C-alpha cells in the first residue's frame, strides 16, 4: 500500500508568493474602464506566475499532490463584471500550467467554497453555485485536466437530512455534465456523516472523499473502518486513486478547527487501521494550518516512530 501526501494552496516556505490575490468589487468599481481590465489582468497574471513558482517548488520537494486555490482569477463570476474574458487573455498561460502539472506527474484538485450549495432551497443560490462550479470546471479544462476533480459538501440541511439529500440529487441532475463529471462529495463535520454521503455518492455514481477529522466530529457511532472499503469502491470507475482528507483538531481531538500540525501517532494509527481493512493505494490531503511545513514535519515524525513501514521518504510512504 502506497500513500502520497499533499497540502492546500499556499506554500509557506515561499515568501510573498500567493496564487490567490484578489480584487475587491468595491475597488473594481472605483476604476475607469481601462483601469478595470488592466487591474484584473495584472492580478490574474501575478496569480498564475506564483502558481508556477508553487508547482516548481512542489516538484523540487517531491510533492505530487496539491490543491489549487479556487481564487485564481479575481471577479471571474461576479455578475456585474462584464467583458472579463480571462480565458481569452490567459489561454496560453493556463496551457503552460497544465503542461507543468503533467510534466511533474502531479495530482491537483479544487475545493468549492462553502457558499456553493447545490441543494439550497434558494433558486438564486443554486444558480450562483452552477456559475461558480462551471468556472472551476473550466479552470480544470483550460489546464488540460478534463478528468480533474472539484470537492464539495452536501450543503443545506433545510427540511431535514432526507429531504436535503433528495434535493441535492434533483438539483445535481440539472447541473452541466462538464461540472457533474468533476464533482466528488465530502462528509462534513456537523450534519452529513459518512453513511449519508456514501449513500448519496452511490446514488449519483460519483466518488466520495472521506474526511477523517470530520468523521471524528460527526458520526452516529458507526465504525469508520467497516466503511472504508465501500468508500474506496466509489472510485473504482475513476482514473484517480481514492483520496482522504486528514487533519488534527486544534485544541483536542473533537475540535473542528484545524491544528497547525498533524499528530503523528494518531495519523499512524489511522493509516495502520485502514491498511488492515483495505490494502490499496490512496492519496492523503493534509489540511493543516502550516501547509507543506506540516507535511514535512509529519514525515520526519513518522520516520522516528514507524520503523516497520517498508518505505518512507519526504512526502510518501509504503507499508
Amino acid at each position: 500500500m502506497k500513500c502520497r501526501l499533499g497540502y492546500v494552496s499556499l506554500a509557506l516556505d515561499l515568501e510573498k508568493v500567493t496564487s490567490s490575490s484578489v480584487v475587491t468589487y468595491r475597488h473594481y468599481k472605483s476604476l475607469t474602464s481601462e483601469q478595470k481590465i488592466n487591474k484584473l489582468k495584472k492580478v490574474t497574471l501575478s496569480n498564475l506566475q506564483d502558481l508556477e513558482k508553487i508547482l516548481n517548488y512542489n516538484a523540487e520537494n517531491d510533492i505530487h499532490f496539491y490543491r489549487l486555490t479556487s481564487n485564481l482569477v479575481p471577479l471571474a463570476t461576479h455578475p456585474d463584471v462584464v467583458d472579463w474574458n480571462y480565458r481569452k487573455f490567459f489561454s496560453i498561460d493556463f496551457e503552460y500550467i497544465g503542461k507543468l502539472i503533467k510534466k511533474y506527474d502531479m495530482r491537483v484538485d479544487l475545493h468549492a467554497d462553502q457558499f456553493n450549495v447545490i441543494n439550497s432551497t434558494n433558486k438564486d443560490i443554486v444558480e450562483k453555485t452552477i456559475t461558480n462550479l462551471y468556472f472551476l470546471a473550466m479552470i480544470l479544462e483550460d489546464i488540460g485536466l478534463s478528468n480533474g476533480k472539484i470537492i464539495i459538501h452536501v450543503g443545506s440541511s433545510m427540511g431535514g437530512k432526507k429531504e436535503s439529500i433528495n434535493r441535492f440529487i434533483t438539483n445535481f441532475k440539472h447541473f452541466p455534465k462538464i461540472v457533474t463529471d468533476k464533482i466528488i462529495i465530502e462528509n462534513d463535520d456537523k450534519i452529513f456523516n459518512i453513511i449519508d454521503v456514501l449513500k448519496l455518492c452511490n446514488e449519483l455514481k460519483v466518488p466520495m472523499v472521506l474526511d477523517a477529522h470530520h468523521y471524528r466530529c460527526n458520526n452516529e457511532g458507526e465504525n469508520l473502518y467497516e466503511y472504508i472499503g465501500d468508500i474506496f469502491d466509489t472510485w473504482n470507475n475513476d482514473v484517480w486513486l481514492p483520496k482522504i482528507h486528514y487533519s488534527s483538531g486544534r485544541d483536542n481531538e473533537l475540535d473542528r478547527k484545524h491544528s497547525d500540525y498533524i499528530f503523528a501517532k494518531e495519523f499512524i494509527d489511522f493509516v495502520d487501521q485502514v491498511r488492515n481493512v483495505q490494502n490499496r493505494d490512496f492519496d492523503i490531503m493534509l489540511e493543516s494550518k502550516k501547509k507543506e511545513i506540516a507535511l514535512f514535519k509529519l514525515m520526519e515524525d513518522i520516520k522516528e516512530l514507524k520503523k516497520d513501514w517498508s518505505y518512507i521518504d519526504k512526502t510518501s510512504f509504503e507499508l
Side-chain angles (χ1 to χ4, degrees):
M1 183 180 87
K2 181 176 181 178
C3 297
R4 300 180 301 178
L5 302 187
Y7 73 100
V8 177
S9 186
L10 189 65
L12 296 184
D13 268 346
L14 298 178
E15 294 185 9
K16 298 181 180 180
V17 172
T18 175
S19 56
S20 55
S21 294
V22 300
V23 178
T24 66
Y25 183 64
R26 182 178 180 179
H27 177 62
Y28 172 85
K29 285 198 303 181
S30 70
L31 303 175
T32 66
S33 295
E34 183 177 355
Q35 288 173 331
K36 285 176 179 176
I37 194 66
N38 287 338
K39 181 65 175 180
L40 293 173
K41 289 167 70 173
K42 179 180 179 181
V43 174
T44 301
L45 179 60
S46 173
N47 284 344
L48 288 167
Q49 289 173 335
D50 280 358
L51 177 57
E52 177 187 359
K53 294 173 186 175
I54 294 170
L55 294 174
N56 287 331
Y57 169 83
N58 289 346
E60 290 165 5
N61 287 279
D62 294 322
I63 297 172
H64 296 279
F65 188 25
Y66 174 67
R67 183 184 300 167
L68 298 169
T69 176
S70 59
N71 298 312
L72 195 60
V73 183
L75 299 179
T77 62
H78 197 288
D80 296 322
V81 176
V82 295
D83 299 326
W84 175 210
N85 191 350
Y86 69 90
R87 296 183 67 203
K88 172 186 174 182
F89 294 128
F90 295 101
S91 59
I92 295 174
D93 304 86
F94 280 118
E95 183 180 354
Y96 175 71
I97 291 294
K99 287 179 179 178
L100 270 188
I101 290 168
K102 290 174 182 175
K103 173 185 175 182
Y104 295 145
D105 188 27
M106 196 173 298
R107 178 180 186 173
V108 302
D109 56 25
L110 289 157
H111 198 310
D113 291 328
Q114 62 184 9
F115 53 77
N116 293 290
V117 184
I118 289 176
N119 69 343
S120 176
T121 56
N122 185 320
K123 291 184 179 179
D124 289 340
I125 292 177
V126 175
E127 287 301 317
K128 288 176 182 177
T129 298
I130 292 174
T131 299
N132 293 331
L133 294 184
Y134 184 81
F135 159 69
L136 296 181
M138 296 317 297
I139 290 289
L140 293 172
E141 292 286 331
D142 289 343
I143 61 176
L145 284 179
S146 59
N147 56 10
K149 298 300 178 187
I150 302 168
I151 307 130
I152 197 163
H153 294 169
V154 179
S156 170
S157 61
M158 187 73 69
K161 276 190 184 183
K162 184 176 180 180
E163 184 176 327
S164 299
I165 289 172
N166 288 337
R167 196 165 56 245
F168 189 104
I169 293 168
T170 299
N171 291 354
F172 187 83
K173 291 177 179 178
H174 291 92
F175 274 54
K177 189 173 186 298
I178 202 167
V179 171
T180 58
D181 282 349
K182 294 173 174 58
I183 292 293
I184 54 179
I185 308 173
E186 174 186 1
N187 60 300
D188 65 61
D189 59 0
K190 293 180 180 178
I191 301 165
F192 298 98
N193 58 39
I194 61 169
I195 298 174
D196 302 320
V197 177
L198 179 58
K199 289 179 181 178
L200 176 60
C201 287
N202 283 330
E203 171 71 22
L204 295 175
K205 294 181 171 54
V206 302
M208 174 178 168
V209 181
L210 166 66
D211 188 303
H213 186 56
H214 290 175
Y215 161 77
R216 293 189 208 103
C217 298
N218 176 30
N219 65 77
E220 297 176 356
E222 67 273 13
N223 184 339
L224 169 62
Y225 303 101
E226 293 179 1
Y227 290 87
I228 289 287
D230 290 335
I231 293 171
F232 281 7
D233 283 347
T234 64
W235 291 86
N236 283 350
N237 296 319
D238 206 272
V239 299
W240 301 105
L241 292 172
K243 62 167 284 189
I244 286 175
H245 294 173
Y246 195 95
S247 57
S248 297
R250 187 182 68 182
D251 295 329
N252 58 68
E253 187 179 33
L254 299 182
D255 188 349
R256 291 186 175 93
K257 300 182 184 68
H258 293 170
S259 176
D260 285 350
Y261 297 98
I262 300 294
F263 302 147
K265 290 182 180 180
E266 178 186 274
F267 178 85
I268 289 167
D269 179 65
F270 170 77
V271 171
D272 277 338
Q273 292 197 62
V274 171
R275 189 261 306 265
N276 288 340
V277 295
Q278 277 290 304
N279 191 12
R280 62 190 280 188
D281 297 348
F282 61 95
D283 293 330
I284 304 175
M285 177 60 67
L286 300 180
E287 297 183 320
S288 303
K289 296 295 185 182
K290 290 296 184 180
K291 309 292 183 176
E292 88 285 7
I293 297 172
L295 189 161
F296 298 145
K297 183 179 186 305
L298 174 61
M299 294 307 300
E300 289 300 317
D301 291 343
I302 290 173
K303 288 177 184 178
E304 291 297 317
L305 296 169
K306 203 62 182 172
K307 305 295 185 182
D308 61 331
W309 285 3
S310 60
Y311 175 78
I312 303 170
D313 65 16
K314 193 174 183 180
T315 64
S316 65
F317 52 82
E318 293 183 28
L319 61 157

